[in-house]
Amino acid sequence: DANESKLDLEIDWPGVFKHAQTFSKTNPFWNELSGSNPFVHDIAASNRNENNKHLSNLKEKPYLFSKISSNRDSLDSSGDELDIDRLLRKTSTRRSGRSKSVSDFLDIVDSQRFSPHKTEPQKSTASDMTWLQNDREAYKMAWLSHRQLTRSCLDLEAMSHSPGWAQTQATDIHVVCKLNHEGGSVQLPDSDINIHVPVGHVLPGQFQEVGLKALLNPPLSCNNELSSTVSPLIELTLSNLNTSEAIFLEVKVAAKVKNDPLSQVMSDIVCFFSLSKEGPFKKLENCYIYQDTIQVKLTDLSHVMYAVIAVQASKIQPPATNVWDYIHRTVSVGIYGPKYIHPSFTAVFTVFGHNYIPGKLTICDIKKGGKSMPPVVFQLWGKHTFLLENPQDLNISLISCDPDFQVKMEDQSRNIKKEELKTGEMVRQQFLFSMLGCREMHFFVFLVQIKILKSSQVTQFHVTTPDPAPKLSGIINRPKCLQNRKEVKSVPWLLIPTIKYPKFQDKTMSVNTYGVALKTVLRQNKIDYLLEYFKGDTIALLGEDKVKAIGQTKIKEWYVGVLRRKIGLVHCKNIKVISKEQAMDTADSELTTRNLVEQIALPFKKLTYIYSVVLSTVSESVYDWRALAEVLGYSHMSLDDFNEVHVDKESERVAHVVKKMKQDCHANKKKKLFLYELIVALLKIDCQGLVARLTQDTIILTSAVKLGKSWRELAEKLARLTKQQIEAYEVPHQGKNGAVALEMMWKPAYDFLYTWAAHYGDGYRDVLQDLQTALDKMKNPVTKQWRELTGALILVNCMEVLRASAFSKMEEE
């Protein structure tokens, strides 16, 4: 049915409840609704008073949350953009639009904010609501579902500034698998905990459902002077006890018995087993140990069973003081935080008595302003393991590597007592981060330091935070009255400085230095951005700065030159530099300013970019929409061409011009490419600082995409990152299997390159040159085929000579 396939989330809830009122005498859920749920009461009341103007917008239109930018124009996409939609995770389509949580919604926003392509809308029709009319249970579920929606959607603005908002889902990690007569293995996700079910465990035609769950805090009775747990408490459930074969539990543990004779005799890795979570636990004999892995045969089967691995000592013989002295013990730490960072947020440092670090953690004791917060689900941001020979007092410090963020003074350093470590329980410390001033939110890197107080041992690793929460305004279609009410002009127009952009002049370049070719260079395999020349050719040199880049085989130094109206690099050793007066015939090395601009912008035809980022950067940095419109060929545009939303702010007008150009490029892809046309225009109004910023941003993004998993090699070369530091960048982007998918590998690569480049401040030339050199030195340089970084270096080296030739100072005065 065509009507049913149409997106129709505008369910007539008042109509549904009007019908339900006729059943109010038989429906137990109708009485005193307003007491527990004013949301439903308001809807019912709106039937009696059609002129009720005081309902909130979300109460009037519960479908608002589901209309996620469905009118996003496909014209916003371009063939030369990164198709990040394919790279990002797919959002579950099983839930209807009405029952999505805010976290689900933000996952969609997260992917749509990068992806310019339309997503298939969720289908839900008004006819679906017929099942509410006669089914009391269905009515109850719809009511509860709606109540849940309101609770999670009350105040979007307030939520986006609150730590851990909209993240109160359950996070117990468990897995259930159904196995037949053939048997098989069940693994707890993101762990080294497995159950092996042999062939013939159940009879042919029968099934066994195996459930596996990890409880992070082990039983206290198994942690004392003679025993210490080295795994989480494992809950195992079976559906079928009509079995003929035992099953095997296999666990990789966080400890290894030392090799000295005393340790080997006095201690052993064992498995404690119980049919109750609280115990009592008995030691199982059927254990096989290989290095740090134990395999336990479970014969006494029940529907629910509990097992924990521990190191047990028969007795403590001096100089040993406890069971820890007999083993090499690995301690695992995890850094957890909210899914998105906010101007103020809590990071939680967690020590585990085992090597199972879950991807999510429910924190129940978060405090804000002295008050306890409801339980919050935190995401794993980074993890680290280190050797701790004895339970000792630890000092934990978190240090921000970004000047825009700081750790609250009293939170900067925390201690963990050795007695806490001995219990084997999870130990947590909270650190409050806050942003300084009113800067723009962005992800950042912080350092985690773990000091052992009685020795000089220090362990440290870096953690990269996730991105800030995406701005919800613009994604949800708010009515115009709300938009206009919030538009408060903070600065009178007269206070904004008027900037007059210089007029671009198309004329022959003024060149002061030339080079005479000492030999002929013709390449069988043509290389982009490298010149070819004959012995005796006179080449115009655009400045005396040298560029370092790889040639056919090795890294050389090059000048930027012009020959036969082509700009490219010429090897410094292949030319003799001469002055303008010494040059005999310069006809072959002449070039116009227009040709220079069009050639140095060529790399942008192949660079990857994120349209929304480019749009916001340009609209914030250009102060005269007319100047930009003119160089883009829209000199005919007037204020009448703008709709009323774009009239007030200059940035909105600039954005409108850029969007129009984007649409024109999309309509004529073969002749016009958006980013190239934009850079040419910006160069023609002398916005060189903005061009430099866009160049660095797009080069970093494209390099990250080109590198993929080989970013690790680059990180070692550029910043001497250790394996742990590299892992810290990858952890936030790991999938369920604990690894970063190949198509997602650009994300940690981008995080690293962005952080690395930030240390250069405004030195964009050094960023590009050092990146080029590092890429060229890799085992398999991506720059052998991908030369756009070389083209970007040519661009930034030509900016001064362009400004000198194309913009007359006399005219400006």
Side-chain angles (χ1 to χ4, degrees):
D1 191 320
N3 292 332
E4 285 200 358
S5 64
K6 182 184 168 189
L7 179 67
D8 183 13
L9 291 170
E10 303 190 20
I11 296 159
D12 182 16
W13 281 100
V16 172
F17 284 99
K18 190 184 289 181
H19 181 84
Q21 276 185 306
T22 61
F23 297 95
S24 60
K25 289 176 182 174
T26 58
N27 192 325
F29 299 98
W30 190 257
N31 294 333
E32 298 180 11
L33 279 177
S34 60
S36 64
N37 196 345
F39 176 79
V40 176
H41 177 73
D42 279 352
I43 290 176
S46 69
N47 297 319
R48 296 188 293 273
N49 180 10
E50 295 299 329
N51 298 318
N52 188 352
K53 302 295 182 191
H54 302 291
L55 292 175
S56 80
N57 182 55
L58 280 168
K59 290 175 182 176
E60 284 177 11
K61 297 185 178 181
Y63 58 84
L64 265 185
F65 232 9
S66 307
K67 276 196 177 177
I68 299 158
S69 193
S70 60
N71 66 339
R72 185 163 181 150
D73 201 334
S74 63
L75 296 177
D76 277 0
S77 70
S78 164
D80 49 339
E81 282 181 57
L82 171 64
D83 186 6
I84 296 186
D85 201 31
R86 289 179 178 273
L87 304 185
L88 294 171
R89 62 191 172 282
K90 301 282 185 292
T91 313
S92 170
T93 55
R94 278 180 238 161
R95 302 190 200 182
S96 79
R98 292 187 306 285
S99 63
K100 276 191 166 54
S101 71
V102 178
S103 292
D104 289 333
F105 175 71
L106 283 171
D107 283 343
I108 299 167
V109 174
D110 207 18
S111 59
Q112 288 208 343
R113 130 182 107 122
F114 284 109
S115 169
H117 303 291
K118 285 187 177 177
T119 54
E120 192 66 31
Q122 305 283 347
K123 293 179 175 62
S124 176
T125 64
S127 61
D128 293 343
M129 304 313 298
T130 53
W131 48 263
L132 278 181
Q133 294 173 6
N134 303 312
D135 187 340
R136 280 169 60 185
E137 191 61 28
Y139 182 91
K140 169 187 166 186
M141 292 314 296
W143 181 80
L144 290 173
S145 167
H146 219 58
R147 180 178 175 209
Q148 191 176 13
L149 175 70
T150 0
R151 287 177 63 191
S152 64
C153 310
L154 284 177
D155 187 349
L156 297 178
E157 297 298 327
M159 277 191 213
S160 64
H161 294 287
S162 155
W165 51 280
Q167 295 167 23
T168 51
Q169 315 92 302
T171 56
D172 275 336
I173 303 295
H174 63 278
V175 64
V176 179
C177 281
K178 192 173 183 179
L179 303 173
N180 61 13
H181 171 73
E182 297 295 321
S185 292
V186 180
Q187 182 181 26
L188 191 70
D190 302 326
S191 79
D192 295 308
I193 301 169
N194 298 273
I195 290 289
H196 302 295
V197 179
V199 176
H201 169 71
V202 289
L203 298 171
Q206 289 193 1
F207 295 93
Q208 176 71 282
E209 278 192 13
V210 180
L212 200 52
K213 184 176 178 180
L215 306 169
L216 298 176
N217 283 328
L220 290 173
S221 60
C222 297
N223 281 284
N224 49 54
E225 290 300 314
L226 290 172
S227 170
S228 179
T229 54
V230 287
S231 84
L233 179 61
I234 300 159
E235 182 184 276
L236 173 63
T237 56
L238 300 176
S239 63
N240 186 354
L241 296 182
N242 182 22
T243 59
S244 54
E245 289 281 340
I247 60 176
F248 295 86
L249 169 67
E250 186 180 280
V251 183
K252 193 173 181 179
V253 295
K256 201 172 161 186
V257 176
K258 291 178 180 176
N259 283 328
D260 63 273
L262 186 63
S263 300
Q264 291 285 324
V265 169
M266 291 294 180
S267 64
D268 203 1
I269 296 176
V270 299
C271 176
F272 289 117
F273 180 83
S274 174
L275 299 180
S276 166
K277 193 191 297 187
E278 287 75 32
F281 285 84
K282 66 174 183 179
K283 188 170 88 171
L284 294 182
E285 299 301 329
N286 297 325
C287 296
Y288 171 74
I289 298 153
Y290 176 72
Q291 292 183 348
D292 61 351
T293 301
I294 183 169
Q295 195 174 74
V296 185
K297 187 176 183 180
L298 301 175
T299 52
D300 185 13
L301 300 181
S302 173
H303 283 300
V304 183
M305 298 165 281
Y306 294 89
V308 64
I309 312 301
V311 178
Q312 189 180 41
S314 51
K315 68 174 185 175
I316 305 299
Q317 184 170 316
T321 56
N322 62 56
V323 68
W324 281 51
D325 291 321
Y326 294 138
I327 56 174
H328 293 296
R329 177 74 179 253
T330 303
V331 171
S332 300
V333 298
I335 300 291
Y336 291 85
K339 187 171 185 178
Y340 301 97
I341 61 168
H342 307 276
S344 174
F345 65 86
T346 301
V348 181
F349 175 95
T350 311
V351 181
F352 297 96
H354 43 77
N355 57 5
Y356 174 57
I357 305 179
K360 291 182 181 179
L361 194 65
T362 306
I363 311 287
C364 300
D365 54 357
I366 291 285
K367 289 196 173 359
K368 191 179 178 187
K371 293 180 181 177
S372 293
M373 300 276 286
V376 176
V377 174
F378 273 37
Q379 317 284 323
L380 180 65
W381 285 2
K383 58 186 176 182
H384 190 73
T385 56
F386 65 98
L387 201 66
L388 188 64
E389 294 292 356
N390 275 300
Q392 298 184 53
D393 293 344
L394 303 178
N395 174 260
I396 315 301
S397 304
L398 265 60
I399 304 145
S400 173
C401 302
D402 190 306
D404 291 353
F405 292 85
Q406 69 172 13
V407 184
K408 195 176 173 186
M409 284 297 287
E410 55 266 35
D411 286 358
Q412 283 178 354
S413 179
R414 294 288 178 90
N415 291 335
I416 291 176
K417 299 286 184 188
K418 65 181 180 183
E419 285 74 21
E420 294 178 278
L421 297 177
K422 276 185 182 178
T423 65
E425 288 199 343
M426 186 172 59
V427 184
R428 297 196 304 266
Q429 292 289 355
Q430 296 177 18
F431 294 83
L432 184 67
F433 279 84
S434 58
M435 196 167 137
L436 297 172
C438 297
R439 299 178 177 90
E440 189 177 346
M441 284 289 292
H442 56 84
F443 72 84
F444 65 98
V445 177
F446 60 88
L447 178 70
V448 181
Q449 275 190 344
I450 305 163
K451 294 177 187 171
I452 296 174
L453 291 177
K454 290 184 180 176
S455 76
S456 57
Q457 185 184 343
V458 177
T459 299
Q460 62 181 35
F461 61 101
H462 286 86
V463 175
T464 304
T465 72
D467 288 326
K471 292 182 177 66
L472 294 175
S473 57
I475 310 264
I476 299 169
N477 302 327
R478 289 190 296 185
K480 223 171 209 180
C481 57
L482 281 180
Q483 286 176 344
N484 294 343
R485 199 174 63 204
K486 292 202 171 187
E487 290 275 334
V488 180
K489 294 183 179 65
S490 54
V491 185
W493 256 113
L494 297 172
L495 297 180
I496 296 176
T498 52
I499 293 177
K500 187 183 177 190
Y501 288 101
K503 189 84 172 168
F504 179 79
Q505 297 175 351
D506 184 12
K507 61 181 187 181
T508 305
M509 295 283 302
S510 173
V511 179
N512 295 322
T513 314
Y514 291 84
V516 177
L518 301 176
K519 62 190 246 188
T520 297
V521 174
L522 297 172
R523 294 182 178 83
Q524 194 173 355
N525 298 321
K526 307 297 180 194
I527 301 176
D528 289 343
Y529 306 109
L530 301 189
L531 283 180
E532 294 185 316
Y533 41 86
F534 296 99
K535 186 176 180 179
D537 277 343
T538 301
I539 303 168
L541 303 182
L542 303 179
E544 295 179 19
D545 291 338
K546 295 173 182 176
V547 173
K548 281 185 185 172
I550 198 168
Q552 202 83 40
T553 54
K554 59 182 180 180
I555 298 170
K556 301 173 182 176
E557 288 194 329
W558 314 76
Y559 288 119
V560 179
V562 179
L563 184 64
R564 288 180 274 279
R565 283 182 292 187
K566 187 179 178 192
I567 301 169
L569 298 180
V570 53
H571 187 198
C572 294
K573 289 185 178 177
N574 287 352
I575 58 168
K576 181 186 177 185
V577 179
I578 58 173
S579 67
K580 187 177 183 178
E581 291 73 28
Q582 292 171 297
M584 301 287 287
D585 182 10
T586 60
D588 277 352
S589 54
E590 285 183 355
L591 192 74
T592 65
T593 51
R594 184 176 62 82
N595 200 322
L596 174 72
V597 166
E598 289 168 355
Q599 277 202 62
I600 61 178
L602 281 174
F604 289 92
K605 287 192 172 183
K606 295 181 181 177
L607 288 179
T608 298
Y609 65 95
I610 298 170
Y611 172 62
S612 57
V613 174
V614 172
L615 179 66
S616 60
T617 305
V618 173
S619 55
E620 287 164 14
S621 308
V622 175
Y623 300 102
D624 183 359
W625 71 270
R626 289 182 190 277
L628 183 62
E630 195 171 321
V631 290
L632 284 171
Y634 302 134
S635 50
H636 59 277
M637 278 183 82
S638 69
L639 285 174
D640 296 336
D641 295 314
F642 295 86
N643 61 40
E644 55 197 60
V645 178
H646 295 126
V647 167
D648 287 349
K649 287 185 180 176
E650 193 69 16
S651 61
E652 291 286 359
R653 294 175 186 172
V654 172
H656 183 77
V657 173
V658 175
K659 285 174 185 172
K660 176 167 174 51
M661 194 264 287
K662 172 77 168 169
Q663 290 173 9
D664 290 349
C665 289
H666 186 81
N668 192 2
K669 277 185 185 177
K670 289 182 180 174
K671 289 188 178 178
K672 296 179 90 175
L673 290 170
F674 167 71
L675 195 58
Y676 172 77
E677 299 291 339
L678 181 63
I679 295 295
V680 168
L682 294 173
L683 288 171
K684 284 184 177 179
I685 56 173
D686 201 29
C687 290
Q688 293 197 355
L690 176 55
V691 169
R693 183 177 163 190
L694 291 171
T695 304
Q696 181 172 311
D697 287 353
T698 49
I699 283 289
I700 283 175
L701 180 62
T702 314
S703 300
V705 174
K706 292 283 176 189
L707 279 165
K709 65 180 180 183
S710 57
W711 84 269
R712 299 162 183 161
E713 183 194 340
L714 181 75
E716 288 174 19
K717 278 191 164 54
L718 267 183
R720 295 182 181 172
L721 289 196
T722 62
K723 283 186 179 176
Q724 286 86 355
Q725 289 168 328
I726 289 170
E727 189 181 331
Y729 275 103
E730 292 189 354
V731 164
H733 309 293
Q734 284 177 356
K736 288 182 180 176
N737 61 353
V740 181
L742 198 58
E743 65 270 21
M744 299 288 278
M745 197 59 86
W746 68 273
K747 284 191 167 188
Y750 180 79
D751 290 354
F752 162 70
L753 284 172
Y754 186 92
T755 310
W756 165 78
H759 293 110
Y760 284 77
D762 295 329
Y764 62 90
R765 283 197 190 192
D766 293 333
V767 170
L768 298 176
Q769 182 60 80
D770 289 356
L771 181 57
Q772 171 86 56
T773 306
L775 290 173
D776 284 342
K777 286 181 178 175
M778 289 175 69
K779 286 175 189 169
N780 295 304
V782 294
T783 43
K784 278 261 186 179
Q785 292 78 34
W786 176 65
R787 308 294 303 203
E788 273 53 61
L789 180 46
T790 311
L793 282 168
I794 292 174
L795 162 70
V796 296
N797 275 280
C798 288
M799 281 185 172
E800 286 175 24
V801 71
L802 171 66
R803 180 171 276 168
S805 295
F807 303 102
S808 166
K809 289 181 182 175
M810 290 289 289
E811 188 192 316
E812 285 180 41
E813 289 162 7

